[in-house]
Amino acid sequence: AVEAIAPAPAKIVAQAYERRVLEDGSVIELNRGALVAVEYSAKVRMVRLLQGEALFTVEKNPDQPFIVHAAGVDVRAVGTAFNVRLDADNVEVLVTRGRVQVETPATVAENLTGEAVTTAIPVLEAGESVTVPLTVAAPMPQVSRVSEDEIDRRLAWQPRLLDFKSTPLAEVVAEFNRHGSPR
């Protein structure tokens, strides 16, 4: 019998900001230095964030969940936009649109009978963030509200398109100054 071999995951490394459209229409925006591996199957769309930070804009498909896996933390979405940043000590999830479920190794434990006991992090809504520590004895992560200004600050690594039509030069310069100098 011949056994089907799954194709190797497509690895994407961003040398600079990079935007990739995946086969299902979902979009990954990678911060400089981010490394992801994309693995799609008939049942799940899996992206492994191996290092760095990425923003995910997910196409809805209730039959094929979209999961971002980062150092043991799974972020599950159906149709949403969220940012995941993997650091040495934690994974930060920021939801900009829709809802996501965050699952960590610490949210599923076994009780004395060997049955799984789940203590899930609440579903995150747009404008909420959670930082999941990657240490063994870390407390349960707390969900926090994030202002629009804070969301903009955290996503400042993304290029911003500015649209000017018949705008006086002084206003154009002021807008560029407001966004800061190029990196």
Side-chain angles (χ1 to χ4, degrees):
V2 177
E3 189 174 333
I5 299 173
K11 287 193 177 179
I12 304 168
V13 180
Q15 302 302 323
Y17 166 85
E18 189 170 336
R19 182 179 189 273
R20 289 283 181 107
V21 178
L22 302 178
E23 63 188 63
D24 68 336
S26 295
V27 176
I28 302 176
E29 294 178 66
L30 300 159
N31 197 351
R32 178 182 345 184
L35 171 62
V36 296
V38 179
E39 304 173 45
Y40 276 23
S41 72
K43 293 184 179 185
V44 67
R45 299 171 288 168
M46 175 72 73
V47 176
R48 297 185 189 284
L49 179 61
L50 303 171
Q51 70 185 39
E53 177 176 22
L55 177 70
F56 301 88
T57 304
V58 181
E59 285 294 316
K60 277 190 174 183
N61 184 347
D63 297 328
Q64 193 180 27
F66 190 99
I67 299 172
V68 175
H69 181 83
V73 176
D74 287 339
V75 182
R76 180 183 302 263
V78 176
T80 190
F82 59 96
N83 192 73
V84 179
R85 188 179 78 218
L86 173 61
D87 291 326
D89 300 328
N90 59 58
V91 174
E92 178 188 277
V93 179
L94 170 65
V95 181
T96 58
R97 187 179 72 230
R99 300 165 41 149
V100 301
Q101 174 67 55
V102 178
E103 299 170 0
T104 71
T107 59
V108 177
E110 289 189 17
N111 65 16
L112 297 176
T113 64
E115 296 172 15
V117 178
T118 303
T119 339
I121 295 171
V123 171
L124 296 179
E125 305 278 343
E128 292 182 332
S129 176
V130 68
T131 300
V132 179
L134 297 176
T135 57
V136 177
M140 181 61 121
Q142 298 298 310
V143 175
S144 61
R145 292 288 310 157
V146 181
S147 69
E148 286 294 323
D149 288 342
E150 180 64 13
I151 290 172
D152 289 344
R153 188 190 68 71
R154 290 188 191 180
L155 299 180
W157 57 268
Q158 297 177 291
R160 302 285 186 210
L161 295 178
L162 302 175
D163 187 16
F164 302 104
K165 292 182 184 168
S166 302
T167 307
L169 181 58
E171 289 180 30
V172 172
V173 170
E175 188 65 18
F176 274 98
N177 287 338
R178 192 173 76 77
H179 286 280
S181 63
R183 287 168 233 174

